[in-house]
Amino acid sequence: MNDFHTSDDAYQTLLVSVWEVGEAVGPLLTASLSEIYGRCPIYNFVNVVFVVFSVACALSNNASMLAAFRFFNGIGDGSLALNASVVGDMFRQEERGLPVALMAFPPLIGPVAGPIIGGYLTDAAGWQWAFWLSAITGGVCTGAFGLVYRETYRPRLRQVHEKKAQRQQHHQHISQSRVKSNASFLLKDLLRPIHMLFTSKIVLLLSAYVSIVYGLNYILLTTMVEVFENVYGFSQGAAGLSYLGLNRYVKHQSRKTGKMEPEHRLPVMLVGAILVPLGFFLYGWTAEKGVFYVVPMIGTGIVGFGFFATTIPLQAYLVDAFGDYAASAVAATVVSRCVVAAVLPLAGPPLYDRLGLGWGNSVLGFIAVAFVPVPVLFMRYGRRLRAETKIDHSALR
């Protein structure tokens, strides 16, 4: 912020929040369009968007430009809505547990690894190199992805196969009706994630739950460095190491016990729901009392473990439950959680200023406790809720 001649701490929180707003807008387009035109062209396009605006962020010369480009940078993060859906395309239901975990892990670990790398890189080379590194690595991955990835969305593959058959039979006029049909349903298809968010009890309740967990996690992410700098005297780079506590990965396994049901993935989610508030209590009160810094790091590690243990099974559950429309279902949860994550961190500094780290984090822990029954609800009534859910299949006509 010194390079932009501003000392307002709100800008630091804004730069995190505006990214989340971009991540909320992006899935509304990427998920729905991938269910119309296929995963491959949409994924490749948003990858290019991410690289372009990473470069733009690095070249920003004032805080307003940086915030605006961060928004479009967030839109380019297509992995949040599409990764789990691609796994659903490629693997049978009973084989999806580990692939979903592996695909979900990198996007979720970004907020953990980013501050560590960014803290030291910023100290050594300046803040611009955090974005240059994103642009370089993103560019390499985008090029490699474009070379190796092929379409996996089965309805799109069927459409392509049908069009080839029509051309061979010289009946091209049939494909024109499909184009017209796609155009007439385009707006409806684009709004499918929002429609599912407010009409599907499954999507609504899971979105509310993951939004709270994600928002609480982002309060931790946006305030942790300041806590470890002020309470324990860490440098900026060393303070970033406090995020290592969040770097814990829950190994998700689905055992075949007769017929595989989506609800079989939820016991791990319940464990995560219990761990999140426990981590907040431990982190808050040990940091408040200035206990040896390893102990509050363990608290953040418990929060992070709980976060992964709730998010990864939730994505696998949605892929199992919604099939060809998994991208829209996942996108609905991403939109809601990103909106909350954009707004809730703004309450973090005032909360800690007013109540201190102990009671401030206890408030966050009590909020998390209130949502512990959600996984239990779905373990007991999930099958009934799935039976009541109706999906409009217009995009696949």
Side-chain angles (χ1 to χ4, degrees), residues 121-311:
L121 187 60
T122 298
D123 281 345
W127 64 267
Q128 293 91 341
W129 270 100
F131 294 106
W132 284 122
L133 181 61
S134 294
I136 293 168
T137 55
V140 171
C141 292
T142 296
F145 189 83
L147 290 174
V148 303
Y149 180 61
R150 296 296 179 265
E151 186 58 62
T152 58
Y153 190 49
R154 284 165 293 184
R156 180 59 181 168
L157 291 172
R158 287 195 295 267
Q159 288 181 358
V160 171
H161 179 74
E162 290 172 7
K163 289 181 179 180
K164 287 182 178 179
Q166 291 165 10
R167 282 196 295 268
Q168 291 174 356
Q169 298 172 11
H170 304 288
H171 293 315
Q172 297 182 10
H173 64 280
I174 300 177
S175 64
Q176 298 300 322
S177 63
R178 181 174 286 107
V179 174
K180 183 177 180 180
S181 176
N182 281 344
S184 64
F185 285 103
L186 181 60
L187 179 60
K188 188 175 184 179
D189 294 336
L190 289 175
L191 294 177
R192 180 175 289 106
I194 297 298
H195 182 264
M196 294 176 73
L197 179 61
F198 291 105
T199 60
S200 169
K201 295 176 183 178
I202 294 175
V203 176
L204 179 61
L205 290 174
L206 289 180
S207 295
Y209 174 68
V210 76
S211 296
I212 293 299
V213 173
Y214 200 69
L216 296 178
N217 189 61
Y218 256 75
I219 289 181
L220 203 62
L221 291 172
T222 56
T223 58
M224 195 187 308
V225 168
E226 183 178 356
V227 169
F228 279 88
E229 286 179 344
N230 294 342
V231 176
Y232 296 101
F234 283 20
S235 66
Q236 183 179 11
L241 289 173
S242 61
Y243 288 84
L244 280 173
L246 292 171
N247 188 3
R248 295 294 181 268
Y249 174 62
V250 58
K251 188 175 181 180
H252 182 70
Q253 295 179 328
S254 296
R255 296 182 178 179
K256 290 181 278 187
T257 56
K259 183 181 179 182
M260 177 68 187
E261 296 285 352
E263 287 73 28
H264 291 170
R265 305 192 186 276
L266 297 180
V268 173
M269 188 174 171
L270 176 60
V271 173
I274 295 171
L275 289 177
V276 169
L278 293 178
F280 273 109
F281 294 141
L282 178 62
Y283 165 69
W285 287 108
T286 55
E288 171 83 15
K289 302 300 182 181
V291 177
F292 184 53
Y293 67 85
V294 171
V295 181
M297 281 188 181
I298 293 173
T300 66
I302 294 173
V303 174
F305 189 95
F307 173 61
F308 292 136
T310 55
T311 303

Side-chain angles (χ1 to χ4, degrees), residues 16 22 63 85 97 109-110 141 166 178 289 304 365 374 384-385:
V16 175
S85 308
I109 206 66
C141 292
Q166 291 165 10
R178 181 174 286 107
K289 302 300 182 181
V374 172
R384 182 189 304 176
L385 291 173

Side-chain angles (χ1 to χ4, degrees), residues 63-116:
S64 298
M65 286 180 62
L66 182 57
F69 291 143
R70 282 278 289 172
F71 168 75
F72 290 106
N73 205 197
I75 289 179
D77 188 359
S79 62
L80 291 176
L82 298 180
N83 274 5
S85 308
V86 171
V87 170
D89 297 339
M90 298 174 64
F91 294 90
R92 293 194 299 269
Q93 185 178 10
E94 63 272 15
E95 298 174 343
R96 290 173 186 162
L98 181 59
V100 168
L102 293 176
M103 289 283 276
F105 184 62
L108 295 178
I109 206 66
V112 181
I116 300 171

